[in-house]
Amino acid sequence: MLYPGEQSHTIQIYTMTKDNAIELLKQMIAIPSPSGSEGGVADLMVATLSANGYAAQRNGNNVWARSRRYDPDRPTILLDAHIDTVKPNGNWETDPYTPIVKDGKLYGLGSNDTGGSVVSMLTAFLTLDASEQPYNLIWLASAEEENTGKGGIQSVVGTLGPVTLALVGEPTGMHAAIAEKGLFVIDCIAHGRSGHAARNEGINAIYEAIPDIEWFRNYRFAKESPLLGPVKMSVTGIQAGTLHNVVPAECRFMVDIRVNECYSNREIFDIIREHVQCDVIPRSFTLNSSSIPEDHIIVRRCKELGRKTYASPTTSNQAVIPFTSLKIGPGDSARSHTANEYIALQEIEEGIDIFVSLLDGLEL
């Protein structure tokens, strides 16, 4: 079955080696790919798929391919990892765009987040697709994950067809993140009235904001998750005033909210509106929490392979896809967005083996 924009191709049996995967990751590191500017790496993904006998599908800088024996009557598994990176942070000891292998570690921007997942999933995709499987596979190299851009995975999910299960590649040490906190960011505005600070006039908007800020600090939502714990709210920025002698008429502050699976972001918003006096302006409702049942077959397989299950406090593409999903990939989240980012070569090799073992012959 062909989808719009795809072409038929000659079937080749090819298995990408682990060394190939590492060399591909080096090429990815050497091409700057901040969110929204991933075109060079997307070109590389298209060329890599073509070299392995696959007709790549592309939308913007998102690139994907389907298994050769695609059958619409079978369930479909999506393998997704993002190719965009943040901009270099901190004081790198080397050029972040020059891949360097030292002491068994590959250094370079995007190596850990999430280049290791991209190449591990691609190698597993090619390996699994070389034999008959009871499901379809789609491998996706997605764009704009770091800024949750509209040109990322959200722009292509509607064209992939039905997806039964998605594996989202993020650095989890190849352990299974079975739940993920949502992210909800709001901007708040407390209003006062300007006046001269030397006289008893005006209404100080900073003082008007204090009770609401204290509420964000102290309020506890009733529903706590056994996996993700309580909803966590943090006031992370405040802005008010222009001159020392002018009573500020407006005080703005922002709040970072990490939401468990017991609430939708919309429900959190409604509760906040009931309790504070300031204006509350949501930036987006889209990054909701997600989870997968512990008795799901893919989670059971993870446990059989000795992988731990845990709840993740960070967000990923899981927050914007409508499929049952599991977050799993090589690397360590603590290395993401840091100077001298790296991934161990052994982590990539292990990732390939575990992805293949997890999915080979899986009955959904």
Side-chain angles (χ1 to χ4, degrees):
M1 178 178 180
L2 297 179
Y3 280 73
E6 294 182 325
Q7 299 176 350
S8 61
H9 49 269
T10 302
I11 292 179
Q12 298 177 358
I13 301 299
Y14 180 90
T15 300
M16 190 171 179
T17 68
K18 294 175 181 177
D19 288 341
N20 294 151
I22 292 167
E23 289 305 311
L24 179 59
L25 180 51
K26 290 179 181 178
Q27 294 179 61
M28 291 174 62
I29 292 169
I31 304 172
S33 56
S35 298
S37 301
E38 311 93 343
V41 174
D43 291 342
L44 176 62
M45 299 296 101
V46 170
T48 301
L49 287 169
S50 178
N52 289 286
Y54 286 81
Q57 184 90 323
R58 181 169 181 173
N59 183 318
N61 293 329
N62 303 280
V63 177
W64 68 97
R66 290 183 172 84
S67 48
R68 297 185 177 100
R69 303 170 182 84
Y70 191 95
D71 180 348
D73 293 328
R74 292 177 178 173
T76 296
I77 297 175
L78 171 67
L79 304 178
D80 164 64
H82 66 88
I83 57 175
D84 63 315
T85 71
V86 296
K87 294 181 179 179
N89 292 316
N91 297 316
W92 280 74
E93 296 177 3
T94 59
D95 177 9
Y97 299 112
T98 300
I100 295 174
V101 175
K102 182 180 180 181
D103 299 327
K105 302 172 182 176
L106 174 56
Y107 290 85
L109 184 63
S111 57
N112 179 76
D113 185 15
T114 60
S117 289
V118 171
V119 300
S120 297
M121 284 181 157
L122 176 57
T123 306
F125 169 82
L126 295 172
T127 301
L128 292 162
D129 200 36
S131 59
E132 187 78 22
Q133 297 293 341
Y135 52 79
N136 305 307
L137 269 177
I138 300 175
W139 174 80
L140 170 64
S142 55
E144 297 189 32
E145 188 273 346
E146 295 291 3
N147 65 349
T148 320
K150 293 182 179 179
I153 194 172
Q154 299 173 79
S155 68
V156 300
V157 289
T159 64
L160 298 178
V163 171
T164 309
L165 172 68
L167 298 189
V168 175
E170 290 284 348
T172 71
M174 290 307 297
H175 296 295
I178 61 173
E180 175 182 280
K181 277 195 172 181
L183 173 61
F184 184 43
V185 181
I186 58 174
D187 294 298
C188 299
I189 307 174
H191 298 280
R193 188 175 67 247
S194 63
H196 199 296
R199 295 188 290 269
N200 187 24
E201 61 185 31
I203 299 174
N204 194 317
I206 295 175
Y207 298 157
E208 296 298 301
I210 287 174
D212 287 344
I213 292 173
E214 281 295 312
W215 181 86
F216 282 110
R217 178 183 183 183
N218 297 317
Y219 185 78
R220 298 294 179 265
F221 288 85
K223 300 175 186 177
E224 293 197 10
S225 163
L227 289 171
L228 294 170
V231 174
K232 184 178 186 298
M233 298 192 293
S234 303
V235 176
T236 54
I238 187 168
Q239 182 179 14
T242 55
L243 298 171
H244 73 88
N245 58 353
V246 177
V247 173
E250 184 177 272
C251 178
R252 293 174 173 263
F253 59 97
M254 59 185 174
V255 186
D256 176 290
I257 307 167
R258 303 293 167 150
V259 185
N260 62 29
E261 78 278 18
C262 302
Y263 298 91
S264 69
N265 290 351
R266 178 78 57 179
E267 289 172 322
I268 294 293
F269 175 73
D270 290 340
I271 293 171
I272 291 171
R273 287 293 304 272
E274 292 176 3
H275 287 85
V276 300
Q277 298 302 311
C278 60
D279 296 340
V280 181
I281 305 167
R283 295 187 182 180
S284 171
F285 288 104
T286 58
L287 301 179
N288 286 288
S289 177
S290 62
S291 63
I292 187 171
E294 287 210 59
D295 62 354
H296 192 285
I297 179 61
I298 192 66
V299 179
R300 297 204 307 269
R301 276 220 171 180
C302 285
K303 292 178 179 179
E304 290 168 2
L305 292 172
R307 315 321 299 166
K308 299 176 184 177
T309 60
Y310 74 103
S312 173
T314 59
T315 58
S316 69
N317 274 341
Q318 284 185 291
V320 294
I321 58 176
F323 320 125
T324 299
S325 61
L326 176 72
K327 183 163 68 177
I328 184 171
D332 186 337
S333 181
R335 301 181 207 137
S336 301
H337 304 182
T338 63
N340 308 311
E341 179 184 349
Y342 72 87
I343 190 167
L345 303 184
Q346 183 178 354
E347 290 175 319
I348 297 173
E349 296 168 356
E350 178 188 53
I352 294 168
D353 289 340
I354 291 175
F355 279 131
V356 172
S357 296
L358 275 177
L359 298 176
D360 193 21
L362 182 69
E363 297 279 356
L364 291 171

